[in-house]
Amino acid sequence: RIWWLLLGVGIAATIFRGAYEQVGNTLPLWIDTGVDRAWGAIAIPMTWFQSLNPLLVIAMTPLLLMAWRRRAGSGRETSPAMRMAIGALIVAAAYLLLAVLTALAGDARVGWPWLVAFFVILTLGELYILPTGLGLFAKLAPPRLGATTVASWFLAIFSGSLLAGLIGTLWSKASHSGFFLLLAGLAVLAAALLWRLDRPIRTLS
């Protein structure tokens, strides 16, 4: 039963990565052509926005860990699968923001502060789901199969990257708002699967 649950979480992680990994795939294409990067007399280089994600990971991780410890100390700790589901929904909200912005902008460019807001939301969701997933795989690993089980998590990450490449081929075939809406839908699908797996996982924890 453990392997079936891990497979379910792995499938959810693969779906999630298919949406999340667009941050290094199709999103730079949109940043380059669809975002007004003017700041006074200069144009902000597109690569600067790509650096926001790792910087935000460094800045937000201690604050998030502090909040999680506080919740655990008060007896309100969120289960791992539910935490991952919340993270997927947060990422869905980030892509939904882009879908709305591009739909409203039409042929005009979106202001760069909205892109910063997107990266803040996206990174928050990432911190909810990715480290938690690795910890969940390690926690549920059968005896003497810890390394193999953790390696299977990275197999899900690998599969998600392949899926992201496949999804990226739709960039030129759909409107920008429609594409971002698709990504939001994939993240919601991953959240729904994780939510369904939460109870059986808790019975084994």
Side-chain angles (χ1 to χ4, degrees), residues 68 74 103 132:
W68 288 346
S74 61
T132 304

Side-chain angles (χ1 to χ4, degrees), residues 9-200:
V9 175
I11 291 173
T14 297
I15 295 171
F16 169 79
R17 293 288 294 196
Y20 169 79
E21 282 296 333
Q22 299 304 318
V23 73
N25 186 15
T26 55
L27 189 69
L29 300 176
W30 176 69
I31 295 175
D32 191 41
T33 61
V35 176
D36 182 2
R37 294 178 283 115
W39 185 20
I42 67 170
I44 304 173
M46 184 270 288
T47 52
W48 288 17
F49 293 102
Q50 291 297 100
S51 69
L52 281 176
N53 178 248
L55 288 174
L56 287 168
V57 168
I58 295 172
M60 296 171 68
T61 297
L63 299 176
L64 201 55
L65 290 175
M66 189 183 307
W68 288 346
R69 290 195 190 101
R70 187 176 294 114
R71 286 184 62 86
S74 61
R76 297 181 293 115
E77 185 175 13
T78 306
S79 62
M82 189 58 67
R83 184 182 295 172
M84 293 174 70
I86 293 171
L89 288 177
I90 294 173
V91 169
Y95 281 120
L96 183 60
L97 173 64
L98 294 190
V100 172
L101 290 173
T102 51
L104 293 177
D107 294 331
R109 295 194 175 203
V110 175
W112 64 263
W114 286 111
L115 185 59
V116 174
F118 163 79
F119 273 109
V120 170
I121 300 171
L122 182 88
T123 304
L124 179 62
E126 172 192 0
L127 291 175
Y128 263 84
I129 188 170
L130 295 182
T132 304
L134 179 59
L136 180 60
F137 267 56
K139 182 178 181 180
L140 294 180
R144 298 184 298 277
L145 290 175
T148 301
T149 306
V150 171
S152 65
W153 166 256
F154 289 101
L155 178 61
I157 299 301
F158 167 76
S159 301
S161 297
L162 292 180
L163 178 61
L166 180 62
I167 294 170
T169 62
L170 301 175
W171 174 253
S172 59
K173 302 175 183 178
S175 66
H176 292 172
S177 60
F179 184 79
F180 290 133
L181 193 60
L182 170 64
L183 300 183
L186 289 173
V188 169
L189 178 60
L193 181 55
L194 290 165
W195 176 76
R196 290 295 299 271
L197 292 169
D198 178 56
R199 181 173 294 180

